[in-house]
Amino acid sequence: MSKTFMGWPTFPKAAETATADEQLRANVRRATHTIRTKRAALVEERPDWQDLRDTAAALKDDVLAHLDTYLEQIEEKVTAAGGTVHWAADADEANRIVTGLVRDTGESEIVKVKSMLTEEIGLDGALEAAGISARETDLAATIVQLGDDLPSHVVVPALHRNRSEIRDIFAREMGKHGRPAPEDLTDEPEELAEAARLHMREKFLKAKVAVSGANFMVAETGTLCIVESEGNGRMCLTLADTLISVVGIEKTVPTWQDLEVYLQLLARSATGERMAPYTSTWTGVTDGDGPRAFHLVLVDNGRTRALADPVGRQALRCIRCGACMNICPVYERTGGQTYGSVYPGPIGAILNPLLKGADDPQTASLPYASSLCGACNEVCPVKIRFTDVLLKLRHDVAEGDAKVKHRAEKVALKAVEGVMDRGPLWNAAVKAAGTAGRLLPKDMNLPGPLHGWTDSRALPDIPKESFRSWWKRTEGGTK
């Protein structure tokens, strides 16, 4: 069964384990520092960088404000170009649609490319339950799949692995799923890349069905766009007889001219390159060229929930470049799997709660996985204000009706609210606290479920009298 983040521990528990792993921390630090150094140098080349960021943010805000109109335009254009559009409200519906489409072809093995959304919805598990094997073709995604591992970065899913670990995975696992790795395989990057190329080429040439994601959808023509570095996208998009693209509804851009803005931002922000080696676009089907059938599955899966949040909706501007992860001091020390999602780092800390709601303890812990240093705000190519969203989500967890709150905590807060609403009762409570505070030990630990309040807090000094009493007694501090 494909490994998933189902049942993953909360961020504090997962981080406790991850931060104790010195090899993991070294791998993540080396990779993130390399990418962010390259990014910084290329950003410096562009005097119009801030203008590009402003434009990209404004364009995405326009798309989100008129998303229904643009999506209907995409459906019309894709259909006119010979494709078929399907709408999926959630993960289950998307998985049913894709599984049904693959079954209709009679194939039992497919290839995948650039399909982070399919990991979000658990498509591999749904296909596996239907007797269909889905093989990843991005190099890093292949490493994760062969190692029965989980992704830790949106651009470099195997960022937590070093090349010696990758060699061991290739040598141990490739032969179980197709062409084996050479017996004398070393950890030299050229040899690892050649082994992966030969292993995956066999998959490309056999596959009749490919499943892809998309970086962007151009509404004016119904064109989809994938940006990648290895050429596997081009193979998947052109060699298969049937192409199924599973895309989040927020990936929309209005026109080709708008697409140009994001293509200038994405490669620099993601991998520190002036442009991606492969940018593939396709529109419907063409006789004698590429797939004979094209299906576009437009997936919501919580995106309209995020869209309804006036502060959090800006997270839907995200173009999945990973720049926020590469600069984040928390991510650098914990790695990506601690976030319990295919979307880790600062974007995961805001996007997962927005998509799923705060009722799940694992998801509700994510807005606290930040030091609020704001470095992510500064590097985001679409100017997401991460810290604003994080504070809003923390407020939702602390003050809202999230089911993750302990029953005792809810009762206690309601009781405090009742006292604060009644002036005489509140004044009496403050006076009593002043007296009791002098008797309580500084290192007091509350029992049972309340211990969380005192595990990381010391009891502050409680003054003998309240501010109101002091103000009245001293006539505003004049006596």
Side-chain angles (χ1 to χ4, degrees), residues 364-384:
S365 70
L366 295 179
Y368 298 90
S370 170
S371 65
L372 298 179
C373 69
C376 44
N377 296 343
E378 301 304 316
V379 299
C380 178
V382 289
K383 302 195 81 166
I384 296 171

Side-chain angles (χ1 to χ4, degrees), residues 22 52 215 218 244 304 324 408 422 425 440 447:
E22 293 185 9
L52 282 171
N215 292 97
V218 183
I244 304 168
T304 50
C324 61
R422 295 167 178 79
L425 194 57
L440 295 174

